Amino acid sequence: MWTLSGFADEIDDDPKTQFATLNDLGITHVEFRSAWGTNVLDLTDEQLGEVAALLAEHGLSVSSIGSPIGKINIEDDFDAHLVRADRALTVAQRLGAPFVRIFSFFLREDQAPGQHRDEVLRRMAALAAKAEPTGVVLLHENEKDIYGDVPERVLDIVESVGSPALRLAWDPANYVQVGVTPFTEGYALLRPYTDYVQIKDAVRGTGEVVPAGEGDGQVRETVRALAADGFDGFFSMEPHLGTYNEYGALSGPANFTRATRAFTAILDTEGISYR
């Protein structure tokens, strides 16, 4: 039984509206990234308490904290960022989230990946070491323009760090946007380390984000392979079909619903059960 989740802040800034829409769609979990226009790591303890109460009221659980950890340049101050990582882990524990999403640091065009590999690995290992005692698992997302934006470097990170507290989130649209054919070029390499899937698709050439199955992200092939090898985990809706702000996209309820229906139609066609 696969479990649906989603970046509900794409629906609305107000968590009441976010969670009500998830209820309407039958989605049981949320990937919590922001509320009331504030990043999850910047919410006060009082606000987190309010979120926890709303989650309970709507019968929802948190699949992951959609943190911005690692979304700084590789040459930016890391010590201050480690403090942010502590906050991310605290929030995950407060809301009962098993995962925290992270990134492997932005690189400018003049910053060759090979020249910064050692520092990336040092930082990623430090983040994993922070997570290990907590029981929370960090999920590296293959965001474009970071060190780990192509399968070979993603594999380098997870194998070089070698921590049970560092695993992978698979984002097919992000791979398409950096010229990768996701399933063909990345699935076999990264499946052993992949614990989480983010659902958005994109068109090669333009990079336009589209609902699952309408782009070049090979979502159907990936789903079929995951079902065949017994994957049992989260699929997090991240439609990116609207306007954008600093936290992500503002798809709105209609586009969020459209994206969810496109993905569940694939699951239905493949005969895959989900909740």
Side-chain angles (χ1 to χ4, degrees), residues 8-68:
D9 59 350
E10 290 207 16
I11 297 168
D12 195 89
D13 280 345
D14 187 342
K16 291 181 181 179
T17 303
Q18 296 178 18
F19 300 163
T21 302
L22 294 182
N23 284 166
D24 290 343
L25 289 170
I27 294 176
T28 59
H29 287 68
V30 58
E31 181 149 0
F32 193 59
R33 181 172 53 190
S34 69
W36 304 293
T38 301
N39 183 272
V40 58
L41 303 191
D42 297 318
L43 295 173
T44 65
D45 289 343
E46 182 180 10
Q47 287 174 314
L48 287 177
E50 186 173 348
V51 168
L54 286 170
L55 287 165
E57 180 182 330
H58 289 83
L60 296 169
S61 298
V62 179
S63 62
S64 180
I65 300 301
S67 89

CSV table of all heavy atoms in Angstrom, one decimal, residues 8-68:
chain,number,residue,atom,x,y,z
A,8,ALA,N,1.4,20.8,0.9
A,8,ALA,CA,0.1,21.4,1.0
A,8,ALA,C,0.2,22.9,0.9
A,8,ALA,O,-0.8,23.6,0.7
A,8,ALA,CB,-0.6,21.0,2.2
A,9,ASP,N,1.4,23.5,1.1
A,9,ASP,CA,1.5,25.0,1.0
A,9,ASP,C,1.3,25.5,-0.4
A,9,ASP,O,1.2,26.7,-0.6
A,9,ASP,CB,2.7,25.5,1.7
A,9,ASP,CG,4.0,24.9,1.1
A,9,ASP,OD1,4.0,24.0,0.3
A,9,ASP,OD2,5.1,25.4,1.5
A,10,GLU,N,1.3,24.5,-1.4
A,10,GLU,CA,1.0,24.9,-2.7
A,10,GLU,C,-0.5,25.2,-2.9
A,10,GLU,O,-0.9,25.8,-3.9
A,10,GLU,CB,1.5,23.8,-3.7
A,10,GLU,CG,3.0,23.7,-3.9
A,10,GLU,CD,3.4,23.1,-5.2
A,10,GLU,OE1,2.6,23.1,-6.1
A,10,GLU,OE2,4.5,22.7,-5.3
A,11,ILE,N,-1.3,24.7,-1.9
A,11,ILE,CA,-2.7,24.9,-2.0
A,11,ILE,C,-3.1,26.3,-1.5
A,11,ILE,O,-3.8,27.1,-2.2
A,11,ILE,CB,-3.4,23.9,-1.1
A,11,ILE,CG1,-3.2,22.5,-1.7
A,11,ILE,CG2,-4.9,24.2,-1.1
A,11,ILE,CD1,-3.6,21.3,-0.8
A,12,ASP,N,-2.5,26.7,-0.4
A,12,ASP,CA,-2.8,28.0,0.3
A,12,ASP,C,-1.9,28.2,1.4
A,12,ASP,O,-1.2,27.3,1.9
A,12,ASP,CB,-4.3,27.9,0.8
A,12,ASP,CG,-4.9,29.2,1.2
A,12,ASP,OD1,-5.5,29.9,0.3
A,12,ASP,OD2,-4.7,29.7,2.3
A,13,ASP,N,-1.7,29.5,1.8
A,13,ASP,CA,-0.9,29.8,2.9
A,13,ASP,C,-1.5,29.3,4.3
A,13,ASP,O,-0.7,29.1,5.2
A,13,ASP,CB,-0.6,31.3,3.0
A,13,ASP,CG,0.4,31.8,2.1
A,13,ASP,OD1,1.2,31.0,1.5
A,13,ASP,OD2,0.5,33.0,1.8
A,14,ASP,N,-2.8,29.3,4.3
A,14,ASP,CA,-3.5,28.9,5.6
A,14,ASP,C,-3.5,27.4,5.7
A,14,ASP,O,-4.1,26.7,4.9
A,14,ASP,CB,-4.9,29.5,5.5
A,14,ASP,CG,-5.6,29.3,6.9
A,14,ASP,OD1,-5.2,28.5,7.7
A,14,ASP,OD2,-6.6,30.0,7.1
A,15,PRO,N,-2.9,26.9,6.8
A,15,PRO,CA,-2.9,25.4,7.0
A,15,PRO,C,-4.3,24.8,7.1
A,15,PRO,O,-4.5,23.6,6.8
A,15,PRO,CB,-2.1,25.2,8.2
A,15,PRO,CG,-2.1,26.5,9.0
A,15,PRO,CD,-2.2,27.5,7.9
A,16,LYS,N,-5.3,25.6,7.6
A,16,LYS,CA,-6.7,25.1,7.6
A,16,LYS,C,-7.2,24.7,6.2
A,16,LYS,O,-7.8,23.7,6.0
A,16,LYS,CB,-7.6,26.1,8.3
A,16,LYS,CG,-7.4,26.3,9.8
A,16,LYS,CD,-8.4,27.3,10.3
A,16,LYS,CE,-8.1,27.6,11.8
A,16,LYS,NZ,-9.1,28.6,12.3
A,17,THR,N,-6.9,25.6,5.3
A,17,THR,CA,-7.3,25.3,3.9
A,17,THR,C,-6.4,24.2,3.3
A,17,THR,O,-7.0,23.4,2.6
A,17,THR,CB,-7.1,26.6,3.0
A,17,THR,OG1,-7.9,27.7,3.6
A,17,THR,CG2,-7.6,26.4,1.6
A,18,GLN,N,-5.2,24.2,3.6
A,18,GLN,CA,-4.3,23.2,3.1
A,18,GLN,C,-4.8,21.8,3.5
A,18,GLN,O,-5.0,20.9,2.7
A,18,GLN,CB,-2.9,23.3,3.7
A,18,GLN,CG,-2.1,24.6,3.3
A,18,GLN,CD,-0.7,24.6,4.1
A,18,GLN,OE1,-0.2,23.6,4.6
A,18,GLN,NE2,-0.2,25.8,4.1
A,19,PHE,N,-5.1,21.7,4.8
A,19,PHE,CA,-5.4,20.3,5.4
A,19,PHE,C,-6.9,19.9,5.0
A,19,PHE,O,-7.1,18.7,4.7
A,19,PHE,CB,-5.3,20.3,6.9
A,19,PHE,CG,-3.9,20.7,7.4
A,19,PHE,CD1,-3.7,21.0,8.7
A,19,PHE,CD2,-2.8,20.6,6.5
A,19,PHE,CE1,-2.4,21.3,9.1
A,19,PHE,CE2,-1.5,20.9,7.0
A,19,PHE,CZ,-1.3,21.2,8.3
A,20,ALA,N,-7.8,20.9,4.8
A,20,ALA,CA,-9.1,20.5,4.4
A,20,ALA,C,-9.1,20.0,2.9
A,20,ALA,O,-9.8,19.1,2.6
A,20,ALA,CB,-10.0,21.8,4.4
A,21,THR,N,-8.2,20.6,2.1
A,21,THR,CA,-8.1,20.1,0.7
A,21,THR,C,-7.5,18.7,0.7
A,21,THR,O,-8.0,17.9,-0.1
A,21,THR,CB,-7.3,21.1,-0.1
A,21,THR,OG1,-7.8,22.4,-0.1
A,21,THR,CG2,-7.1,20.6,-1.6
A,22,LEU,N,-6.5,18.5,1.5
A,22,LEU,CA,-6.0,17.1,1.5
A,22,LEU,C,-7.0,16.1,2.0
A,22,LEU,O,-7.1,15.0,1.4
A,22,LEU,CB,-4.8,17.1,2.5
A,22,LEU,CG,-3.5,17.9,2.1
A,22,LEU,CD1,-2.4,17.7,3.2
A,22,LEU,CD2,-3.0,17.5,0.8
A,23,ASN,N,-7.8,16.5,2.9
A,23,ASN,CA,-9.0,15.6,3.3
A,23,ASN,C,-9.9,15.4,2.2
A,23,ASN,O,-10.3,14.2,2.0
A,23,ASN,CB,-9.8,16.3,4.5
A,23,ASN,CG,-9.1,16.2,5.8
A,23,ASN,OD1,-9.5,16.9,6.8
A,23,ASN,ND2,-8.1,15.4,6.0
A,24,ASP,N,-10.2,16.4,1.4
A,24,ASP,CA,-11.1,16.2,0.3
A,24,ASP,C,-10.6,15.3,-0.8
A,24,ASP,O,-11.3,14.5,-1.4
A,24,ASP,CB,-11.4,17.6,-0.4
A,24,ASP,CG,-12.3,18.5,0.5
A,24,ASP,OD1,-12.9,18.0,1.4
A,24,ASP,OD2,-12.3,19.7,0.2
A,25,LEU,N,-9.2,15.3,-0.9
A,25,LEU,CA,-8.6,14.4,-1.9
A,25,LEU,C,-8.3,13.0,-1.3
A,25,LEU,O,-7.8,12.1,-2.1
A,25,LEU,CB,-7.3,15.1,-2.3
A,25,LEU,CG,-7.4,16.3,-3.2
A,25,LEU,CD1,-6.1,17.0,-3.4
A,25,LEU,CD2,-8.0,15.9,-4.6
A,26,GLY,N,-8.5,12.8,0.0
A,26,GLY,CA,-8.2,11.5,0.6
A,26,GLY,C,-6.7,11.3,0.8
A,26,GLY,O,-6.3,10.2,1.0
A,27,ILE,N,-6.0,12.4,0.8
A,27,ILE,CA,-4.5,12.3,1.1
A,27,ILE,C,-4.3,12.3,2.6
A,27,ILE,O,-4.9,13.2,3.3
A,27,ILE,CB,-3.8,13.5,0.4
A,27,ILE,CG1,-3.8,13.3,-1.1
A,27,ILE,CG2,-2.3,13.5,0.9
A,27,ILE,CD1,-3.2,14.5,-1.9
A,28,THR,N,-3.5,11.4,3.1
A,28,THR,CA,-3.4,11.1,4.6
A,28,THR,C,-2.3,11.8,5.2
A,28,THR,O,-2.2,11.9,6.5
A,28,THR,CB,-3.3,9.6,4.9
A,28,THR,OG1,-2.2,9.1,4.2
A,28,THR,CG2,-4.6,8.9,4.4
A,29,HIS,N,-1.3,12.3,4.4
A,29,HIS,CA,-0.1,12.9,5.0
A,29,HIS,C,0.2,14.3,4.3
A,29,HIS,O,-0.3,14.6,3.3
A,29,HIS,CB,1.1,12.0,4.8
A,29,HIS,CG,1.1,10.8,5.7
A,29,HIS,ND1,0.2,9.8,5.5
A,29,HIS,CD2,1.9,10.4,6.7
A,29,HIS,CE1,0.4,8.8,6.5
A,29,HIS,NE2,1.4,9.2,7.2
A,30,VAL,N,1.1,15.0,5.0
A,30,VAL,CA,1.5,16.3,4.4
A,30,VAL,C,3.0,16.4,4.5
A,30,VAL,O,3.6,15.9,5.5
A,30,VAL,CB,0.8,17.5,5.2
A,30,VAL,CG1,1.2,17.4,6.7
A,30,VAL,CG2,1.3,18.8,4.6
A,31,GLU,N,3.6,16.9,3.5
A,31,GLU,CA,5.0,17.3,3.5
A,31,GLU,C,5.1,18.8,3.9
A,31,GLU,O,4.7,19.6,3.1
A,31,GLU,CB,5.7,17.1,2.2
A,31,GLU,CG,7.2,17.4,2.2
A,31,GLU,CD,8.1,16.6,1.3
A,31,GLU,OE1,7.5,15.7,0.6
A,31,GLU,OE2,9.3,16.8,1.3
A,32,PHE,N,5.4,19.0,5.2
A,32,PHE,CA,5.2,20.3,5.8
A,32,PHE,C,6.4,21.2,5.5
A,32,PHE,O,7.5,21.0,5.9
A,32,PHE,CB,5.0,20.2,7.3
A,32,PHE,CG,4.4,21.4,7.9
A,32,PHE,CD1,3.2,22.0,7.5
A,32,PHE,CD2,5.1,22.1,8.9
A,32,PHE,CE1,2.7,23.1,8.1
A,32,PHE,CE2,4.6,23.2,9.5
A,32,PHE,CZ,3.4,23.7,9.1
A,33,ARG,N,6.1,22.3,4.7
A,33,ARG,CA,7.1,23.2,4.3
A,33,ARG,C,6.9,24.7,4.8
A,33,ARG,O,7.9,25.4,5.1
A,33,ARG,CB,7.2,23.2,2.8
A,33,ARG,CG,8.3,24.2,2.2
A,33,ARG,CD,8.5,23.9,0.7
A,33,ARG,NE,7.2,24.0,0.0
A,33,ARG,CZ,7.0,23.7,-1.3
A,33,ARG,NH1,8.1,23.2,-2.0
A,33,ARG,NH2,5.9,23.8,-1.9
A,34,SER,N,5.7,25.1,4.8
A,34,SER,CA,5.4,26.5,5.3
A,34,SER,C,3.9,26.6,5.7
A,34,SER,O,3.1,25.8,5.2
A,34,SER,CB,5.8,27.5,4.3
A,34,SER,OG,4.9,27.5,3.1
A,35,ALA,N,3.7,27.6,6.5
A,35,ALA,CA,2.3,27.9,6.9
A,35,ALA,C,2.2,29.4,7.2
A,35,ALA,O,3.2,30.0,7.7
A,35,ALA,CB,1.9,27.1,8.1
A,36,TRP,N,1.1,30.0,6.9
A,36,TRP,CA,0.9,31.5,7.1
A,36,TRP,C,2.0,32.3,6.5
A,36,TRP,O,2.4,33.3,7.0
A,36,TRP,CB,0.8,31.8,8.6
A,36,TRP,CG,-0.2,31.0,9.3
A,36,TRP,CD1,-1.6,31.1,9.2
A,36,TRP,CD2,0.0,30.0,10.3
A,36,TRP,NE1,-2.2,30.2,10.0
A,36,TRP,CE2,-1.3,29.5,10.7
A,36,TRP,CE3,1.1,29.4,10.9
A,36,TRP,CZ2,-1.5,28.5,11.7
A,36,TRP,CZ3,1.0,28.4,11.9
A,36,TRP,CH2,-0.3,28.0,12.2
A,37,GLY,N,2.6,31.8,5.3
A,37,GLY,CA,3.6,32.5,4.6
A,37,GLY,C,5.0,32.5,5.3
A,37,GLY,O,5.9,33.2,4.9
A,38,THR,N,5.1,31.5,6.2
A,38,THR,CA,6.4,31.4,7.0
A,38,THR,C,7.0,30.0,6.8
A,38,THR,O,6.3,29.0,6.9
A,38,THR,CB,6.1,31.7,8.5
A,38,THR,OG1,5.6,33.0,8.6
A,38,THR,CG2,7.4,31.6,9.3
A,39,ASN,N,8.3,30.0,6.6
A,39,ASN,CA,9.0,28.7,6.4
A,39,ASN,C,8.8,27.9,7.7
A,39,ASN,O,8.9,28.4,8.8
A,39,ASN,CB,10.4,28.9,6.1
A,39,ASN,CG,11.2,27.6,5.8
A,39,ASN,OD1,11.7,27.0,6.7
A,39,ASN,ND2,11.2,27.2,4.6
A,40,VAL,N,8.7,26.6,7.5
A,40,VAL,CA,8.5,25.7,8.7
A,40,VAL,C,9.6,25.9,9.8
A,40,VAL,O,9.3,25.8,11.0
A,40,VAL,CB,8.5,24.2,8.2
A,40,VAL,CG1,9.8,23.9,7.5
A,40,VAL,CG2,8.2,23.3,9.4
A,41,LEU,N,10.8,26.2,9.4
A,41,LEU,CA,11.9,26.3,10.4
A,41,LEU,C,11.8,27.7,11.1
A,41,LEU,O,12.5,27.8,12.2
A,41,LEU,CB,13.3,26.2,9.7
A,41,LEU,CG,13.5,24.9,8.9
A,41,LEU,CD1,15.0,24.8,8.6
A,41,LEU,CD2,13.1,23.7,9.7
A,42,ASP,N,11.0,28.6,10.6
A,42,ASP,CA,10.9,29.9,11.3
A,42,ASP,C,9.6,30.0,12.1
A,42,ASP,O,9.3,31.1,12.7
A,42,ASP,CB,11.0,31.0,10.2
A,42,ASP,CG,12.3,31.0,9.5
A,42,ASP,OD1,13.3,30.8,10.2
A,42,ASP,OD2,12.4,31.1,8.3
A,43,LEU,N,8.8,29.0,12.1
A,43,LEU,CA,7.6,29.0,12.9
A,43,LEU,C,8.0,29.0,14.4
A,43,LEU,O,8.9,28.3,14.8
A,43,LEU,CB,6.7,27.8,12.6
A,43,LEU,CG,6.0,27.8,11.2
A,43,LEU,CD1,5.3,26.5,10.9
A,43,LEU,CD2,5.1,29.0,11.0
A,44,THR,N,7.2,29.7,15.2
A,44,THR,CA,7.5,29.6,16.6
A,44,THR,C,7.0,28.3,17.2
A,44,THR,O,6.2,27.6,16.6
A,44,THR,CB,6.8,30.8,17.4
A,44,THR,OG1,5.4,30.6,17.2
A,44,THR,CG2,7.2,32.1,16.8
A,45,ASP,N,7.4,28.0,18.4
A,45,ASP,CA,6.9,26.8,19.1
A,45,ASP,C,5.4,26.8,19.3
A,45,ASP,O,4.7,25.8,19.1
A,45,ASP,CB,7.6,26.6,20.4
A,45,ASP,CG,9.1,26.2,20.3
A,45,ASP,OD1,9.5,25.8,19.2
A,45,ASP,OD2,9.8,26.3,21.3
A,46,GLU,N,4.9,28.0,19.5
A,46,GLU,CA,3.5,28.2,19.7
A,46,GLU,C,2.8,27.9,18.3
A,46,GLU,O,1.7,27.2,18.3
A,46,GLU,CB,3.1,29.6,20.1
A,46,GLU,CG,1.6,29.8,20.3
A,46,GLU,CD,1.3,31.3,20.8
A,46,GLU,OE1,2.3,32.1,20.8
A,46,GLU,OE2,0.2,31.5,21.2
A,47,GLN,N,3.3,28.4,17.2
A,47,GLN,CA,2.7,28.1,15.9
A,47,GLN,C,2.8,26.6,15.6
A,47,GLN,O,1.9,26.0,15.0
A,47,GLN,CB,3.4,28.9,14.9
A,47,GLN,CG,3.1,30.4,14.9
A,47,GLN,CD,3.9,31.2,13.9
A,47,GLN,OE1,5.1,31.0,13.8
A,47,GLN,NE2,3.2,32.1,13.2
A,48,LEU,N,3.9,26.0,15.9
A,48,LEU,CA,4.0,24.5,15.7
A,48,LEU,C,2.9,23.8,16.5
A,48,LEU,O,2.4,22.8,16.0
A,48,LEU,CB,5.4,24.0,16.1
A,48,LEU,CG,6.5,24.4,15.1
A,48,LEU,CD1,7.9,23.9,15.7
A,48,LEU,CD2,6.3,23.8,13.7
A,49,GLY,N,2.7,24.2,17.7
A,49,GLY,CA,1.6,23.6,18.5
A,49,GLY,C,0.3,23.8,17.8
A,49,GLY,O,-0.6,22.8,17.8
A,50,GLU,N,0.0,24.9,17.2
A,50,GLU,CA,-1.2,25.1,16.5
A,50,GLU,C,-1.3,24.2,15.3
A,50,GLU,O,-2.4,23.6,15.0
A,50,GLU,CB,-1.4,26.6,16.1
A,50,GLU,CG,-2.7,26.9,15.4
A,50,GLU,CD,-2.9,28.4,15.2
A,50,GLU,OE1,-2.1,29.2,15.7
A,50,GLU,OE2,-3.8,28.7,14.4
A,51,VAL,N,-0.2,24.0,14.6
A,51,VAL,CA,-0.1,23.1,13.4
A,51,VAL,C,-0.4,21.7,13.9
A,51,VAL,O,-1.2,21.0,13.3
A,51,VAL,CB,1.2,23.2,12.7
A,51,VAL,CG1,1.4,22.1,11.7
A,51,VAL,CG2,1.4,24.5,12.0
A,52,ALA,N,0.2,21.3,15.0
A,52,ALA,CA,0.0,19.9,15.5
A,52,ALA,C,-1.5,19.7,15.8
A,52,ALA,O,-2.0,18.6,15.5
A,52,ALA,CB,0.9,19.7,16.7
A,53,ALA,N,-2.1,20.7,16.4
A,53,ALA,CA,-3.6,20.6,16.7
A,53,ALA,C,-4.4,20.5,15.5
A,53,ALA,O,-5.4,19.7,15.4
A,53,ALA,CB,-4.0,21.7,17.6
A,54,LEU,N,-4.1,21.3,14.4
A,54,LEU,CA,-4.8,21.2,13.2
A,54,LEU,C,-4.6,19.9,12.5
A,54,LEU,O,-5.6,19.3,11.9
A,54,LEU,CB,-4.4,22.4,12.3
A,54,LEU,CG,-4.8,23.8,12.7
A,54,LEU,CD1,-4.1,24.8,11.8
A,54,LEU,CD2,-6.4,23.9,12.5
A,55,LEU,N,-3.4,19.4,12.5
A,55,LEU,CA,-3.1,18.1,11.9
A,55,LEU,C,-4.0,17.0,12.6
A,55,LEU,O,-4.7,16.2,11.9
A,55,LEU,CB,-1.7,17.7,12.1
A,55,LEU,CG,-0.7,18.4,11.2
A,55,LEU,CD1,0.7,18.2,11.7
A,55,LEU,CD2,-0.8,18.0,9.7
A,56,ALA,N,-4.1,17.0,13.9
A,56,ALA,CA,-4.9,16.0,14.6
A,56,ALA,C,-6.4,16.2,14.3
A,56,ALA,O,-7.1,15.2,14.1
A,56,ALA,CB,-4.6,16.2,16.1
A,57,GLU,N,-6.8,17.5,14.2
A,57,GLU,CA,-8.2,17.7,13.9
A,57,GLU,C,-8.6,17.2,12.5
A,57,GLU,O,-9.7,16.7,12.3
A,57,GLU,CB,-8.4,19.3,13.9
A,57,GLU,CG,-9.8,19.7,13.6
A,57,GLU,CD,-9.9,21.2,13.6
A,57,GLU,OE1,-9.2,21.9,14.4
A,57,GLU,OE2,-10.8,21.8,12.9
A,58,HIS,N,-7.7,17.2,11.6
A,58,HIS,CA,-7.9,16.7,10.2
A,58,HIS,C,-7.5,15.3,10.0
A,58,HIS,O,-7.6,14.8,8.9
A,58,HIS,CB,-7.3,17.7,9.2
A,58,HIS,CG,-7.9,19.0,9.1
A,58,HIS,ND1,-7.6,20.1,10.0
A,58,HIS,CD2,-8.9,19.5,8.2
A,58,HIS,CE1,-8.4,21.1,9.6
A,58,HIS,NE2,-9.1,20.8,8.6
A,59,GLY,N,-7.0,14.6,11.0
A,59,GLY,CA,-6.6,13.2,10.9
A,59,GLY,C,-5.4,13.0,10.0
A,59,GLY,O,-5.3,12.0,9.3
A,60,LEU,N,-4.5,14.0,10.0
A,60,LEU,CA,-3.3,14.0,9.1
A,60,LEU,C,-2.0,13.7,9.9
A,60,LEU,O,-1.9,14.1,11.0
A,60,LEU,CB,-3.2,15.3,8.3
A,60,LEU,CG,-4.3,15.6,7.3
A,60,LEU,CD1,-4.1,17.1,6.9
A,60,LEU,CD2,-4.3,14.7,6.1
A,61,SER,N,-1.1,13.1,9.2
A,61,SER,CA,0.3,12.9,9.7
A,61,SER,C,1.3,13.6,8.8
A,61,SER,O,0.9,13.9,7.7
A,61,SER,CB,0.6,11.4,9.8
A,61,SER,OG,-0.3,10.8,10.7
A,62,VAL,N,2.5,13.8,9.3
A,62,VAL,CA,3.5,14.5,8.5
A,62,VAL,C,4.5,13.4,8.0
A,62,VAL,O,5.1,12.7,8.7
A,62,VAL,CB,4.3,15.5,9.4
A,62,VAL,CG1,5.4,16.2,8.6
A,62,VAL,CG2,3.3,16.6,9.9
A,63,SER,N,4.6,13.4,6.7
A,63,SER,CA,5.6,12.4,6.0
A,63,SER,C,7.0,13.0,6.1
A,63,SER,O,7.9,12.2,6.2
A,63,SER,CB,5.2,12.2,4.6
A,63,SER,OG,5.2,13.4,3.8
A,64,SER,N,7.2,14.3,5.9
A,64,SER,CA,8.5,14.8,5.9
A,64,SER,C,8.4,16.3,6.2
A,64,SER,O,7.4,17.0,5.9
A,64,SER,CB,9.1,14.6,4.5
A,64,SER,OG,10.4,15.2,4.4
A,65,ILE,N,9.5,16.9,6.7
A,65,ILE,CA,9.7,18.3,6.8
A,65,ILE,C,10.4,18.8,5.6
A,65,ILE,O,11.5,18.4,5.2
A,65,ILE,CB,10.5,18.7,8.1
A,65,ILE,CG1,9.8,18.2,9.3
A,65,ILE,CG2,10.7,20.2,8.1
A,65,ILE,CD1,8.4,18.7,9.6
A,66,GLY,N,9.7,19.7,4.8
A,66,GLY,CA,10.2,20.2,3.6
A,66,GLY,C,11.2,21.4,3.9
A,66,GLY,O,10.9,22.5,3.5
A,67,SER,N,12.3,21.0,4.4
A,67,SER,CA,13.2,22.1,4.9
A,67,SER,C,14.0,22.7,3.7
A,67,SER,O,14.2,22.0,2.7
A,67,SER,CB,14.2,21.6,6.0
A,67,SER,OG,15.4,21.0,5.4
A,68,PRO,N,14.6,23.9,3.9
A,68,PRO,CA,15.5,24.5,3.0
A,68,PRO,C,17.0,24.2,3.3
A,68,PRO,O,17.9,24.9,2.7
A,68,PRO,CB,15.2,26.0,3.1
A,68,PRO,CG,14.9,26.1,4.5
A,68,PRO,CD,14.3,24.9,5.0
